[in-house]
Amino acid sequence: MSAQNSTIYVINPNSSTVVTAGIDAAMEPLRPCGLRIECVTLEGTPKGIQTQRDVDSIDGPLLNRAAQLEDSACGFVVACFSDPGMFALREQSRHPVLGIAECGMLTAMSLGQRIGVISILSTSIPRHMRLFGAMGIMDRIAADRAIGMGVADLADDARAVALMSETGRMLRDEDGADVLVMGCAGMARFRAAVEQAVGIPVVEPTQAAVGMMIGRVSLGWAGKTDAKAAR
Amino acid sequence: MSAQNSTIYVINPNSSTVVTAGIDAAMEPLRPCGLRIECVTLEGTPKGIQTQRDVDSIDGPLLNRAAQLEDSACGFVVACFSDPGMFALREQSRHPVLGIAECGMLTAMSLGQRIGVISILSTSIPRHMRLFGAMGIMDRIAADRAIGMGVADLADDARAVALMSETGRMLRDEDGADVLVMGCAGMARFRAAVEQAVGIPVVEPTQAAVGMMIGRVSLGWAGKTDAKAAR
Amino acid sequence: MSAQNSTIYVINPNSSTVVTAGIDAAMEPLRPCGLRIECVTLEGTPKGIQTQRDVDSIDGPLLNRAAQLEDSACGFVVACFSDPGMFALREQSRHPVLGIAECGMLTAMSLGQRIGVISILSTSIPRHMRLFGAMGIMDRIAADRAIGMGVADLADDARAVALMSETGRMLRDEDGADVLVMGCAGMARFRAAVEQAVGIPVVEPTQAAVGMMIGRVSLGWAGKTDAKAAR
Amino acid sequence: MSAQNSTIYVINPNSSTVVTAGIDAAMEPLRPCGLRIECVTLEGTPKGIQTQRDVDSIDGPLLNRAAQLEDSACGFVVACFSDPGMFALREQSRHPVLGIAECGMLTAMSLGQRIGVISILSTSIPRHMRLFGAMGIMDRIAADRAIGMGVADLADDARAVALMSETGRMLRDEDGADVLVMGCAGMARFRAAVEQAVGIPVVEPTQAAVGMMIGRVSLGWAGKTDAKAAR
Amino acid sequence: MSAQNSTIYVINPNSSTVVTAGIDAAMEPLRPCGLRIECVTLEGTPKGIQTQRDVDSIDGPLLNRAAQLEDSACGFVVACFSDPGMFALREQSRHPVLGIAECGMLTAMSLGQRIGVISILSTSIPRHMRLFGAMGIMDRIAADRAIGMGVADLADDARAVALMSETGRMLRDEDGADVLVMGCAGMARFRAAVEQAVGIPVVEPTQAAVGMMIGRVSLGWAGKTDAKAAR
Amino acid sequence: MSAQNSTIYVINPNSSTVVTAGIDAAMEPLRPCGLRIECVTLEGTPKGIQTQRDVDSIDGPLLNRAAQLEDSACGFVVACFSDPGMFALREQSRHPVLGIAECGMLTAMSLGQRIGVISILSTSIPRHMRLFGAMGIMDRIAADRAIGMGVADLADDARAVALMSETGRMLRDEDGADVLVMGCAGMARFRAAVEQAVGIPVVEPTQAAVGMMIGRVSLGWAGKTDAKAAR
């Protein structure tokens, strides 16, 4: 790939720089790979993406920002667990585009058999279930349980870890999960603590997506699915 | 329901008044039900909704227009086979909200066992498959086949009917479909001709959705799924 | 449709006029639609349909009664949550035929993502599961739980509402349901109370079926699936 | 098991003694097992079971005849590929009850991965698909294809074998089937010829069911599923 | 079948003669069938098959031993709930080959609608889930719960029955199971006690497999699926 | 990770150095990642893995070789499309372990909606289907079609590319695939030619697996699924 195309842009669709900072810190272990990993915050979007309206409002800002970054990019990661705008960005960009919900689940499928998802609010769950159904992986879902904290509430680390750990144990013991996925980019910094507390693998979805992107960029396989399928 | 809430608004998300006129004509058999059925064309949206970007671009205009219509509405039907903005509008409106893809498929499920879908372009099919997967009805899908005509091309009635009939026969004979769904609101006026040609039930999805909406309005069941599920 | 074909017949397959009266009351909100909705009680059938034998015994009486009503009918609704005789009646009648289990579930699919079913007896559940499997919607089922009351026991309103509400909360909180379906026509009069108690949409299946029938009649789509598929 | 309970009754629900004779001949290889295998023809039922009405009409005569045979029976096999009355008979009898559709498919699941079904008429297919869905085995179905011959037409052996072989090859080559099931008890005598012609295992469902019944009787596991599950 | 091919070999892949003795005792009710049923213990294999490595280590010893027995065999049953080597043995032998996991589940599918599995260790469950997924029967699984006892621990009968009964009741009441399968050949002797305690049918998988094998041998249908499908 | 743990070992389970060389060449684009990627050929295993016996025979040699490499490894990739020994190696190694079938399919799930698989022999297909079922992704499979060439035959490049391209076009046009996966490690060098010929993304599974491994190693998530789930 050409010199000017050497950056993986991880776009945080919400406008919370705190969340972006958490994502950026989570990228550290992946930075030795030789590709620049830059985390970007969209502007004019909600502080947290919690409703379907929030999800649907991301598309325009995301496509516009990605268009500006296209020439310096080698790949894009959409860092919201509802994968807003992912398929539209795949149509627009000539680079690989990955979403954290899709990659978080695909990664979990290689770490365990029954996936438990830890969500922020119960209102997120029907949306997640539609996404898992669209992925055709419902048979791999143990359950999706919410901790009942909004994105902003996650600032309370102690409470977040406690609730996520308790929810993780329920997913493990009552629902039979043997791997967990954190269902919000804002949970990134809690991965180690929750895995420690629950004792089964915990997937941080932005790390999962960028982890998959590194190889994808090297292989040069772009995700222009729909367009390519057209004839 | 109060006097001022007596209109079912059928919103055509694309900006083609020709398509809206076709939908409006298809509403005739449903008008004796006693509720006003008014077909609305969004402005500033694509002439045809053919890409994921097109789909995702509908949300804002749809929500804004629906907000203006909220007080005079008793229900909203989103008349595009990708159900753009349907879930967000369910959050916004206090009235029932139905999408034509969802209702077209649900209606077909009561008319046959194996559903064949006739799409405009092959690029629509992966998007439809994600939607059918999100609905959890993949076991009911015989196949989804495209006629290779864009929304604009449908103006050529003879060619459209010929290709839709040929595709319908393939869905029936090669894929085992015993009911068909037309996968685009722009196909509304061809229903009778295609059913005649193929000999199995053919669902026109906007008729299916408004047909379901009439009872829904009477029952006063609103679709505020996600919101209601929150706690 | 001709003058003499203007009645939707809602046939209660069991011989309990109390159940029929409850169904009839539930039809009130749908009567402004302009079609006559007449509730009919079969004779010589069980007081409650609780076993597979009960279900299978309905077919003959149902087809005979429907044949007598054919000329004055514009549609038939089979008002038992096992949809006894529905497919056979679709073969016999030239009018649309809908069952309340099928329509209750299809309607719930447009009101929520994960469906919880409230059944009378645990013996009903395997039969329901077979029906949901035949519909191909198992991925949408949160759970089906029984209240342990027979059809006759439902006469105890207070107890029925209490048990249905408790069961509904379990379906919501333990099984992740965001919409409920009442799994017996005899529960019709409890819909509002249970929805109030549980706080998520509750589908009364006979209302759901007749609500879908109104539009179906107007569209003139008959359910002669199997016959039409023959060649 | 007591002396008087030593007969497996294979009940042919249709009233065609020709079909019963074909079934009886197919039982020969299973007779050395030490249990009497007696094939019974119901009276007053259709000559061939081809419509849903036919299927639903079997229940009463089947239960009555089985009740007369209960004391001398050690097990019942319902020999029609729609398994009419199977679940009701499981409620009535204290003996194991198996159906040929269920057992034909379960047996095929241990002989191949992708099952192709050869049906008589295309009208049978939606009914079969509902049954396979109720069994939860849709992922194992390659396809179900009809030869377009009614039960009576099967008297033309040469034509039947030719059409079944041609259909079997289509199921193998176009649909990827690696095992076939004959979807009608009336096809029993063609098993060897079709297997020879197609070159993959062919399951004759009545043989499959009685083959499973022999062990079931010895184990004394009765199929009173629904009743047992009640509490 | 020729005189020298008259023995069903039930091969216990682990090297525990105690387990083999338990299996042998469980064969008694099936012995009147007229075929010799001989239980064989593999040598040099683990005492209990509890890890994936254990499962994968069985193939060579199993195929070698089965080759020695081929001439005197009429069928082979692999008596470990992970069905180790079953598909490879189907390639090697000209006789029917059945596995106890596959047959235990297929048998349960004719005894109930929702299957609960009682496993020894939670580490077995992901492996079982992969197997059930490969069988395409996930929609029939209520849950798979472990009692937390290794194969050796099962020597403590009282504790085993108590834990299996408690787990069975959880599968019945919390997960909605209406039939149970014992997920280890070493549990054979506890079937009656657990069925008595839980009150729903309990399938002992080796009995289920040999019960199916008796008919299979008589019919002469071999399971050379993959080989036969080749062309 | 420590200095001595810096090599991703790609183990070709068959003993064909030609296949290993093809895999090694396919690794070139992934080598700039900074981790050593070393391709290893097992000894004493079949030249091509084509039967279930071949698959099952890999486990011992694979585990032994991997044990020798454990200290210098940072991850293992099993380079056979049946993922032989993958789960056992996950139990043995403290490093991440990925299989090419699993990763090839997971990668395809992020490149298209309907996956077509190109296999060598039709005998591979039932085995693949069991694997896809175990992964719970059957709803994403368009079809799996064989080119009818053994591993050795692939030496005929022109014929292999021609048959793979023809098969890919059938998967695209008849089965609706919008992404393809090459179902054999021996096909590695044909990826570009087939993608060029068919015009939809083509996944080379060893590249897909190593591409995913690079990030996995950096994140230090090991795949000890079963072990971790134990308690």
Side-chain angles (χ1 to χ4, degrees):
Chain A
M1 84 211 126
S2 68
Q4 75 268 40
N5 290 120
S6 60
T7 303
I8 295 172
Y9 287 105
V10 180
I11 302 181
N12 168 21
N14 72 39
S15 57
S16 161
T17 54
V18 177
V19 169
T20 309
I23 293 171
D24 189 65
M27 295 300 101
E28 280 317 310
L30 293 160
R31 290 202 152 101
C33 74
L35 295 166
R36 262 186 90 240
I37 302 171
E38 186 172 326
C39 301
V40 175
T41 311
L42 286 188
E43 289 166 11
T45 53
K47 280 289 170 197
I49 296 173
Q50 303 185 166
T51 65
Q52 186 68 46
R53 176 176 205 144
D54 293 340
V55 172
D56 297 349
S57 71
I58 297 306
D59 199 68
L62 177 74
L63 294 182
N64 294 337
R65 188 65 190 271
Q68 299 161 2
L69 301 170
E70 177 77 7
D71 288 346
S72 58
C74 59
F76 293 101
V77 168
V78 181
C80 164
F81 202 73
S82 295
D83 292 343
M86 179 179 75
F87 289 104
L89 184 50
R90 284 183 180 168
E91 291 171 351
Q92 172 179 289
S93 177
R94 67 183 183 276
H95 307 301
V97 175
L98 296 173
I100 70 170
E102 189 171 74
C103 291
M105 300 308 285
L106 295 176
T107 295
M109 288 169 76
S110 68
L111 288 167
Q113 183 64 16
R114 301 266 294 161
I115 305 171
V117 179
I118 302 175
S119 294
I120 48 172
L121 302 173
S122 64
T123 44
S124 315
I125 295 175
R127 188 165 60 246
H128 292 170
M129 288 293 172
R130 293 193 296 266
L131 195 146
F132 304 152
M135 289 183 68
I137 60 170
M138 287 300 293
D139 280 350
R140 297 293 292 274
I141 307 301
D144 186 327
R145 290 180 181 265
I147 57 172
M149 296 175 76
V151 172
D153 307 328
L154 294 176
D156 179 345
D157 287 27
R159 183 150 167 271
V161 169
L163 285 173
M164 290 173 70
S165 301
E166 178 191 346
T167 301
R169 280 185 289 259
M170 288 176 62
L171 289 162
R172 182 195 69 190
D173 299 335
E174 296 187 19
D175 304 313
D178 55 16
V179 60
L180 300 176
V181 175
M182 300 196 298
C184 176
M187 296 171 168
R189 68 192 182 283
F190 307 129
R191 196 197 79 82
V194 176
E195 182 166 296
Q196 178 66 26
V198 185
I200 57 178
V202 175
V203 172
E204 194 293 298
T206 310
Q207 290 183 318
V210 176
M212 287 179 69
M213 179 60 82
I214 292 167
R216 198 64 58 91
V217 167
S218 307
L219 294 167
W221 297 343
K224 295 199 160 203
T225 310
D226 292 8
K228 281 198 177 179
R231 62 195 52 82
Chain B
M1 95 210 116
S2 68
Q4 76 268 39
N5 290 123
S6 59
T7 303
I8 295 172
Y9 288 105
V10 179
I11 303 181
N12 168 22
N14 73 39
S15 57
S16 162
T17 54
V18 177
V19 169
T20 311
I23 294 171
D24 189 65
M27 296 300 100
E28 280 317 309
L30 294 161
R31 291 203 153 100
C33 73
L35 294 167
R36 263 187 88 239
I37 302 171
E38 184 171 326
C39 300
V40 175
T41 310
L42 286 188
E43 287 166 13
T45 55
K47 280 291 170 196
I49 295 174
Q50 303 184 167
T51 66
Q52 186 68 47
R53 176 176 206 144
D54 293 340
V55 172
D56 297 348
S57 70
I58 297 307
D59 199 68
L62 177 73
L63 295 182
N64 294 337
R65 187 65 189 274
Q68 299 162 1
L69 301 170
E70 178 75 7
D71 289 345
S72 57
C74 57
F76 292 102
V77 168
V78 181
C80 165
F81 201 74
S82 295
D83 291 344
M86 178 179 75
F87 289 104
L89 184 50
R90 284 182 182 169
E91 291 171 352
Q92 171 179 290
S93 177
R94 68 182 182 276
H95 306 300
V97 175
L98 296 173
I100 69 169
E102 190 171 74
C103 292
M105 301 307 285
L106 295 176
T107 295
M109 289 170 75
S110 68
L111 288 166
Q113 183 64 15
R114 300 266 294 161
I115 305 170
V117 179
I118 302 175
S119 295
I120 50 173
L121 302 171
S122 65
T123 44
S124 315
I125 295 175
R127 188 165 59 245
H128 292 169
M129 289 294 171
R130 294 193 295 267
L131 195 146
F132 304 153
M135 289 183 67
I137 59 170
M138 287 300 293
D139 279 350
R140 297 293 293 273
I141 308 301
D144 185 327
R145 290 179 180 266
I147 58 172
M149 297 174 77
V151 172
D153 307 328
L154 295 175
D156 179 346
D157 287 27
R159 183 150 166 272
V161 169
L163 285 173
M164 290 173 69
S165 300
E166 177 191 346
T167 300
R169 280 185 290 258
M170 289 176 64
L171 288 163
R172 182 195 69 191
D173 299 335
E174 297 187 19
D175 304 313
D178 56 17
V179 60
L180 300 176
V181 175
M182 301 196 298
C184 176
M187 297 171 168
R189 67 191 184 285
F190 307 130
R191 197 196 78 83
V194 175
E195 182 167 295
Q196 179 65 27
V198 185
I200 57 179
V202 174
V203 172
E204 195 292 299
T206 311
Q207 291 182 318
V210 177
M212 286 179 70
M213 179 60 82
I214 293 167
R216 197 65 57 91
V217 167
S218 308
L219 293 167
W221 297 344
K224 293 197 162 202
T225 309
D226 291 8
K228 278 197 180 178
R231 66 193 48 81
Chain C
M1 84 213 127
S2 66
Q4 75 268 40
N5 291 121
S6 59
T7 304
I8 295 173
Y9 288 105
V10 180
I11 302 181
N12 168 22
N14 72 40
S15 56
S16 162
T17 54
V18 177
V19 169
T20 309
I23 293 171
D24 190 65
M27 296 299 102
E28 280 319 308
L30 293 160
R31 291 203 152 102
C33 74
L35 294 166
R36 262 185 92 242
I37 302 172
E38 185 171 327
C39 300
V40 175
T41 310
L42 285 187
E43 288 165 11
T45 53
K47 280 288 171 201
I49 296 173
Q50 302 184 167
T51 66
Q52 187 67 47
R53 176 174 206 147
D54 293 340
V55 172
D56 296 349
S57 70
I58 298 306
D59 199 68
L62 177 74
L63 294 182
N64 294 338
R65 188 63 190 273
Q68 298 161 1
L69 301 170
E70 178 75 7
D71 289 345
S72 57
C74 58
F76 293 102
V77 168
V78 181
C80 165
F81 201 74
S82 294
D83 291 344
M86 177 180 76
F87 288 105
L89 184 50
R90 283 183 181 168
E91 291 172 350
Q92 171 179 289
S93 176
R94 68 183 183 276
H95 306 302
V97 176
L98 296 174
I100 70 169
E102 189 171 74
C103 290
M105 300 307 286
L106 295 177
T107 294
M109 289 169 76
S110 69
L111 287 167
Q113 183 64 16
R114 302 265 294 160
I115 305 170
V117 179
I118 302 175
S119 294
I120 48 172
L121 303 172
S122 65
T123 44
S124 316
I125 295 175
R127 187 165 60 244
H128 292 169
M129 288 294 170
R130 294 193 295 267
L131 194 146
F132 304 151
M135 289 183 68
I137 59 170
M138 287 300 292
D139 279 350
R140 297 293 293 274
I141 307 301
D144 185 328
R145 290 179 180 264
I147 57 172
M149 296 174 77
V151 172
D153 307 328
L154 295 175
D156 179 345
D157 286 28
R159 184 151 167 272
V161 169
L163 285 173
M164 290 174 70
S165 301
E166 177 191 347
T167 300
R169 280 185 290 259
M170 288 176 63
L171 288 163
R172 182 195 69 191
D173 298 336
E174 296 187 19
D175 305 312
D178 56 16
V179 60
L180 300 176
V181 174
M182 301 196 298
C184 175
M187 297 172 168
R189 69 192 182 284
F190 307 129
R191 196 197 78 83
V194 176
E195 182 167 294
Q196 178 65 26
V198 185
I200 57 178
V202 175
V203 171
E204 194 294 297
T206 310
Q207 291 182 318
V210 176
M212 286 179 69
M213 179 60 83
I214 293 166
R216 197 65 57 90
V217 167
S218 308
L219 293 167
W221 297 343
K224 294 198 161 203
T225 310
D226 291 8
K228 280 196 178 179
R231 63 194 51 80
Chain D
M1 86 211 127
S2 67
Q4 76 267 40
N5 290 122
S6 60
T7 304
I8 295 172
Y9 287 105
V10 179
I11 303 181
N12 168 22
N14 73 39
S15 57
S16 161
T17 54
V18 177
V19 169
T20 310
I23 293 171
D24 189 65
M27 295 300 101
E28 280 317 310
L30 293 161
R31 290 202 153 101
C33 73
L35 294 167
R36 265 186 87 240
I37 301 171
E38 184 171 327
C39 300
V40 175
T41 310
L42 285 188
E43 287 166 13
T45 54
K47 280 290 171 198
I49 297 173
Q50 302 184 166
T51 65
Q52 186 67 48
R53 176 176 205 143
D54 294 339
V55 172
D56 297 348
S57 70
I58 298 306
D59 200 68
L62 176 73
L63 294 182
N64 294 337
R65 188 64 190 273
Q68 299 162 0
L69 301 170
E70 178 75 8
D71 288 346
S72 57
C74 59
F76 293 102
V77 168
V78 181
C80 165
F81 201 74
S82 294
D83 292 344
M86 177 179 75
F87 289 104
L89 184 50
R90 284 183 182 169
E91 291 172 350
Q92 171 178 290
S93 177
R94 67 183 184 276
H95 306 300
V97 176
L98 296 173
I100 70 170
E102 190 171 73
C103 291
M105 301 307 285
L106 294 176
T107 295
M109 288 170 76
S110 69
L111 288 167
Q113 183 64 16
R114 301 266 294 160
I115 305 171
V117 179
I118 302 175
S119 295
I120 48 172
L121 303 172
S122 65
T123 44
S124 315
I125 295 175
R127 188 165 60 243
H128 291 169
M129 288 293 170
R130 292 193 296 266
L131 194 146
F132 304 152
M135 289 183 68
I137 60 169
M138 287 300 293
D139 279 350
R140 298 293 293 274
I141 307 301
D144 185 327
R145 290 179 181 265
I147 57 172
M149 297 174 75
V151 172
D153 307 328
L154 294 175
D156 179 345
D157 287 28
R159 184 151 166 273
V161 169
L163 285 173
M164 290 173 70
S165 301
E166 177 191 347
T167 301
R169 280 185 289 258
M170 289 177 63
L171 289 162
R172 182 195 69 191
D173 299 336
E174 297 186 19
D175 305 313
D178 55 18
V179 60
L180 300 176
V181 174
M182 301 196 297
C184 176
M187 297 171 168
R189 68 192 183 285
F190 307 129
R191 196 196 78 82
V194 176
E195 182 166 294
Q196 179 65 27
V198 185
I200 57 178
V202 175
V203 172
E204 194 293 297
T206 310
Q207 291 182 317
V210 177
M212 287 179 69
M213 180 60 82
I214 293 166
R216 196 64 58 90
V217 167
S218 308
L219 294 167
W221 297 344
K224 294 198 162 202
T225 310
D226 291 8
K228 280 197 180 180
R231 63 195 48 80
Chain E
M1 85 210 125
S2 68
Q4 75 269 39
N5 290 121
S6 60
T7 303
I8 295 172
Y9 287 106
V10 179
I11 303 182
N12 168 21
N14 72 40
S15 58
S16 162
T17 54
V18 177
V19 169
T20 310
I23 294 171
D24 189 65
M27 296 300 101
E28 280 318 309
L30 294 160
R31 290 205 152 101
C33 74
L35 295 166
R36 261 185 93 240
I37 302 171
E38 185 171 326
C39 300
V40 176
T41 310
L42 285 188
E43 286 164 14
T45 53
K47 281 288 169 198
I49 296 173
Q50 302 184 167
T51 66
Q52 186 68 47
R53 175 174 207 145
D54 293 340
V55 172
D56 297 349
S57 70
I58 298 307
D59 199 67
L62 177 74
L63 295 182
N64 294 338
R65 188 64 191 273
Q68 298 162 1
L69 301 170
E70 177 75 7
D71 289 345
S72 57
C74 58
F76 292 102
V77 168
V78 182
C80 165
F81 202 74
S82 295
D83 292 344
M86 178 179 74
F87 289 105
L89 185 49
R90 284 182 181 169
E91 291 172 351
Q92 172 178 289
S93 178
R94 66 182 185 276
H95 306 300
V97 175
L98 296 173
I100 70 170
E102 189 171 73
C103 292
M105 300 307 286
L106 295 177
T107 295
M109 289 169 76
S110 68
L111 288 167
Q113 182 65 16
R114 301 266 294 162
I115 305 171
V117 179
I118 302 175
S119 294
I120 49 172
L121 303 172
S122 65
T123 44
S124 315
I125 295 175
R127 187 165 60 245
H128 292 169
M129 288 294 170
R130 294 193 294 266
L131 195 146
F132 304 152
M135 289 182 68
I137 60 169
M138 287 300 293
D139 279 349
R140 297 293 293 273
I141 307 301
D144 185 327
R145 290 180 181 264
I147 58 173
M149 296 175 76
V151 172
D153 307 328
L154 294 175
D156 180 346
D157 288 27
R159 183 150 167 272
V161 169
L163 285 173
M164 290 173 69
S165 300
E166 177 192 346
T167 301
R169 281 185 289 259
M170 288 177 63
L171 289 163
R172 181 194 70 191
D173 299 336
E174 296 188 18
D175 305 312
D178 55 18
V179 60
L180 300 176
V181 175
M182 301 196 298
C184 177
M187 297 171 169
R189 67 192 184 284
F190 307 130
R191 197 197 77 83
V194 176
E195 182 166 295
Q196 178 66 27
V198 185
I200 57 178
V202 175
V203 172
E204 194 294 298
T206 310
Q207 290 182 318
V210 176
M212 287 179 69
M213 179 60 82
I214 293 167
R216 196 65 58 91
V217 167
S218 308
L219 293 168
W221 297 344
K224 294 198 162 204
T225 309
D226 290 9
K228 279 197 179 179
R231 64 193 51 80
Chain F
M1 81 213 129
S2 67
Q4 76 268 40
N5 290 122
S6 60
T7 303
I8 295 172
Y9 288 104
V10 180
I11 303 181
N12 168 21
N14 73 39
S15 58
S16 161
T17 54
V18 177
V19 169
T20 311
I23 293 171
D24 189 65
M27 296 300 101
E28 281 318 310
L30 294 160
R31 292 202 151 102
C33 74
L35 295 166
R36 265 187 86 238
I37 302 171
E38 185 172 326
C39 300
V40 175
T41 310
L42 285 188
E43 287 165 13
T45 53
K47 281 289 170 198
I49 296 173
Q50 302 184 165
T51 66
Q52 186 68 47
R53 175 175 207 145
D54 294 340
V55 172
D56 296 349
S57 70
I58 297 306
D59 199 67
L62 177 74
L63 295 182
N64 294 338
R65 188 64 190 272
Q68 299 162 1
L69 301 170
E70 177 76 7
D71 289 345
S72 58
C74 58
F76 293 102
V77 168
V78 181
C80 165
F81 202 75
S82 295
D83 292 343
M86 179 180 73
F87 289 104
L89 185 50
R90 283 182 182 170
E91 290 172 352
Q92 171 178 289
S93 178
R94 66 183 184 276
H95 306 300
V97 175
L98 296 173
I100 70 170
E102 190 171 73
C103 291
M105 301 307 286
L106 295 177
T107 295
M109 288 169 77
S110 69
L111 287 167
Q113 183 64 16
R114 301 266 294 160
I115 304 171
V117 179
I118 302 176
S119 295
I120 48 172
L121 303 172
S122 65
T123 44
S124 315
I125 295 175
R127 188 165 59 245
H128 292 169
M129 288 294 172
R130 293 192 295 266
L131 195 147
F132 304 152
M135 289 183 68
I137 60 170
M138 288 299 293
D139 279 349
R140 296 292 293 273
I141 306 301
D144 185 327
R145 291 180 180 264
I147 58 173
M149 296 175 76
V151 172
D153 307 327
L154 294 175
D156 179 346
D157 287 28
R159 183 149 167 275
V161 169
L163 285 172
M164 289 173 71
S165 301
E166 177 190 347
T167 301
R169 281 185 289 259
M170 289 177 62
L171 288 163
R172 182 195 69 192
D173 299 336
E174 297 188 18
D175 305 313
D178 56 17
V179 60
L180 300 176
V181 174
M182 302 196 297
C184 176
M187 297 171 168
R189 68 191 184 284
F190 308 129
R191 196 197 78 82
V194 176
E195 182 167 293
Q196 179 64 27
V198 184
I200 57 178
V202 175
V203 172
E204 194 293 298
T206 311
Q207 290 183 319
V210 177
M212 286 179 69
M213 180 60 82
I214 293 167
R216 197 65 58 92
V217 167
S218 308
L219 294 167
W221 297 343
K224 294 198 160 203
T225 309
D226 291 8
K228 281 198 179 179
R231 63 197 49 82

